[in-house]
Amino acid sequence: MQWIDDLYETFKYHFSADEEDMYPIVYGVLEVKSKEEIFELLDELAHEDMTEMVTLYVLDRLQKKLAEEGIGRVTLGQDYTEDYLQ
């Protein structure tokens, strides 16, 4: 996606590998775009990229809901399958 390439070139020396550094820049750039401009950017995405983007969005929202309600548990990549064996 050309827009991402342009964004990267503009801000690459402001980014670190930490998502928290990237978030305010990306959010700020998108915040000034109209809904129509954002849809134009999204229209450039391949179906697989759009599916991945929506999947990540849905997963993020589900994780936030779980955290807000204090349910679920953080596994941090650990395998807890033995917890459920009888």
Side-chain angles (χ1 to χ4, degrees), residues 1 38-58:
M1 180 178 216
I38 292 173
F39 281 138
E40 287 174 15
L41 292 172
L42 296 176
D43 196 40
E44 296 176 20
L45 291 175
H47 177 60
E48 295 81 16
D49 293 333
M50 179 69 77
T51 301
E52 180 180 354
M53 184 187 73
V54 172
T55 299
L56 291 172
Y57 175 80
V58 170

Side-chain angles (χ1 to χ4, degrees), residues 62-63 65-75 84:
L62 290 172
Q63 288 174 335
K65 287 182 115 3
L66 287 169
E68 288 169 2
E69 295 184 15
I71 57 177
R73 66 182 192 186
V74 178
T75 62
Y84 302 103

Side-chain angles (χ1 to χ4, degrees), residues 30-42:
L30 287 172
E31 185 178 39
V32 298
K33 292 196 175 295
S34 69
K35 190 174 185 177
E36 291 76 24
E37 289 173 313
I38 292 173
F39 281 138
E40 287 174 15
L41 292 172
L42 296 176

Side-chain angles (χ1 to χ4, degrees), residues 1-3 6-7 10 12-15 21 24 29 37 42-43 54 58 69 79 82:
M1 180 178 216
Q2 184 61 46
W3 181 78
D6 294 342
L7 185 69
T10 302
K12 68 182 172 184
Y13 297 110
H14 300 278
F15 291 148
D21 292 339
V29 169
E37 289 173 313
L42 296 176
D43 196 40
V54 172
V58 170
E69 295 184 15
D79 182 9
E82 290 183 20

